[in-house]
Amino acid sequence: MKRIGVITSGGDAPGMNAAIRAVVRKSIFHDVAISGVYYGYQGLMNGNIKQLEVGSVGDIIHRGGTSLYSARCDEFKTREGQQKAIEQLKNHEIDGLVVIGGDGSIRGAQALSDLGLPCIGVPATIDNDIAGIDCTIGFDTALNTVIEAIDKIRDTATSHERTFIIEVMGRDAGDLAMYAGLAGGAESIIIPERKHDFNNVVDRLKRGLERGKKHSIIILAEGVGEGFQYGKKIEEATSYETRVTVLGHIQRGGTPTAADRVLASRLGAKAVDLLIEGKASRIVGLKDNKLVDQDIEHVLSSNHQLNKDVYNLAQELSI
Ligand code: ADP
């Protein structure tokens, strides 16, 4: 392995920069040259690639977003697009690629590996929707952002005795909503992985207010539906005044937490080690808090499992 490339793709996540820094510094530590691919797979197909040095990744460990920028690119999903990418990698003498991103991006890493260019996937997405690992890069930061918002909303909800619906990101996964609901003390948590009984949510609201609760907070995962529609439904069923907050993209940005920086540094460095060992088509991650690598195909063909115990506990504590 003479030269490694590093790319970020798909939705950005806080901690991507810490992962880029780890890939760059670990490569240089091993005397392997390192190139950065800008603007995701689109940039790769266009040859938007530059050599990186130790100093290129200075002062980024604490920044959200990605200093390599990101993009979504449909052409790369085609065999022709992937061949273009392979040509560019060859032209730039890149022997292996570290792909930092979500499941879509890591599928791209698999496709390039299948065409003979060894790739390692580093899971980074606030959705925490990758199977077989404890946590994706960016999840902890996003969770803390949601908690901060819930705490603020709780202050105003208490003052005005209102019911708040907070819509949380996560695509088809409910992890962000579930952990935020538990840590934020929400009255109800509604996520795509669990069928929810609307009447039960209404009963909980009524019971809470009857026993003198000053406010109610309902956390709704975006994968279930829209917060504003849900708020309307609650108003119709109860005649309680509701307020809706859609947290949106503030969940994607911000300074990565210490946990995300440490995770990203460990995973980025591990990805470089694997390429140097001659591995390909692997996805790195912490599993039961141990650094592991697993087959991309195997991981992406499995569904991320919701932690049942955490879900049940959140239900029990919000009676
Ligand atoms: P994320 O990586 O955050 O899950 P996307 O699912 O949008 O985001 O994927 C990011 C990019 O990865 C896509 O725009 C596309 O270029 C590439 N990609 C996604 N799915 C595949 C696939 N099945 N094969 C090859 N490339 C893919």
Side-chain angles (χ1 to χ4, degrees):
M1 187 73 37
K2 291 215 171 67
R3 179 179 293 275
I4 288 174
V6 56
I7 184 171
T8 52
S9 161
D12 61 314
M16 277 184 161
N17 277 324
I20 296 167
R21 173 180 177 272
V23 172
V24 170
R25 298 254 166 114
K26 186 79 175 188
S27 299
I28 294 170
F29 175 82
H30 284 300
D31 284 327
V32 175
I34 175 83
S35 294
V37 179
Y38 289 78
Y39 294 101
Y41 290 124
Q42 184 68 56
L44 177 57
M45 291 187 319
N46 296 342
N48 197 342
I49 298 170
K50 287 188 197 108
Q51 158 111 5
L52 299 174
E53 312 294 344
V54 173
S56 314
V57 288
D59 207 26
I60 64 166
I61 194 166
H62 60 300
R63 294 189 201 282
T66 158
S67 55
L68 291 175
Y69 307 108
S70 189
R72 291 204 158 87
C73 171
D74 283 335
E75 190 186 347
F76 181 74
K77 290 185 183 167
T78 66
R79 195 37 72 102
E80 295 72 33
Q82 291 158 14
Q83 287 292 359
K84 269 194 206 170
I86 293 281
E87 282 307 306
Q88 292 290 358
L89 289 163
K90 278 191 185 148
N91 293 344
H92 288 82
E93 297 177 330
I94 293 170
D95 314 306
L97 186 68
V98 177
V99 177
I100 303 166
D103 61 339
S105 304
I106 292 172
R107 275 181 217 286
Q110 174 71 52
L112 292 177
S113 292
D114 289 344
L115 292 173
L117 196 286
C119 290
I120 304 293
V122 174
T125 162
I126 66 161
D127 303 334
N128 204 33
D129 57 354
I130 308 268
I133 56 168
D134 296 342
C135 205
T136 53
I137 296 167
F139 177 68
D140 186 66
T141 304
L143 182 54
N144 279 283
T145 301
V146 177
I147 296 303
E148 211 185 312
I150 294 176
D151 290 348
K152 287 180 177 166
I153 287 168
R154 181 188 285 281
D155 289 344
T156 169
T158 309
S159 307
H160 291 277
E161 302 195 3
R162 273 185 186 135
T163 299
F164 267 82
I165 290 109
I166 305 177
E167 186 190 310
V168 171
M169 276 183 165
R171 294 216 282 196
D172 297 328
D175 267 39
L176 195 52
M178 178 180 77
Y179 285 95
L182 177 61
E187 274 67 35
S188 289
I189 300 168
I190 304 165
I191 56 174
E193 293 90 337
R194 288 284 179 277
K195 244 195 175 150
H196 102 278
D197 177 357
F198 181 72
N199 294 330
N200 185 268
V201 173
V202 169
D203 284 347
R204 265 169 190 262
L205 271 181
K206 287 185 174 161
R207 273 205 314 272
L209 290 177
E210 274 161 18
R211 70 177 166 82
K213 259 192 178 178
K214 292 268 182 254
H215 61 265
S216 284
I217 291 176
I218 298 171
I219 304 290
L220 178 75
E222 67 175 351
V224 177
E226 284 187 7
F228 284 100
Q229 271 175 12
Y230 204 84
K232 222 181 241 168
K233 234 175 119 180
I234 297 268
E235 283 197 348
E236 281 163 12
T238 62
S239 75
Y240 297 154
E241 212 176 323
T242 63
R243 290 287 182 272
V244 178
T245 303
V246 179
L247 293 180
H249 281 77
I250 64 160
Q251 296 161 96
R252 287 251 291 262
T255 302
T257 57
D260 268 330
R261 296 183 207 187
V262 170
L263 177 66
S265 301
R266 294 181 74 186
L267 300 191
K270 175 77 176 170
V272 170
D273 284 342
L274 291 173
L275 283 175
I276 290 172
E277 285 165 25
K279 302 254 177 71
S281 301
R282 308 293 289 175
I283 179 169
V284 293
L286 287 188
K287 192 173 185 182
D288 302 326
N289 211 21
K290 293 212 170 60
L291 203 48
V292 296
D293 59 283
Q294 306 173 73
D295 180 57
I296 289 181
E297 199 76 62
H298 170 71
V299 169
L300 294 188
S301 61
S302 320
N303 285 326
H304 169 73
Q305 297 297 323
L306 188 83
N307 187 321
K308 287 197 303 281
D309 295 342
V310 172
Y311 182 78
N312 291 338
L313 179 64
Q315 297 298 314
E316 288 163 13
L317 299 188
S318 64
I319 41 175

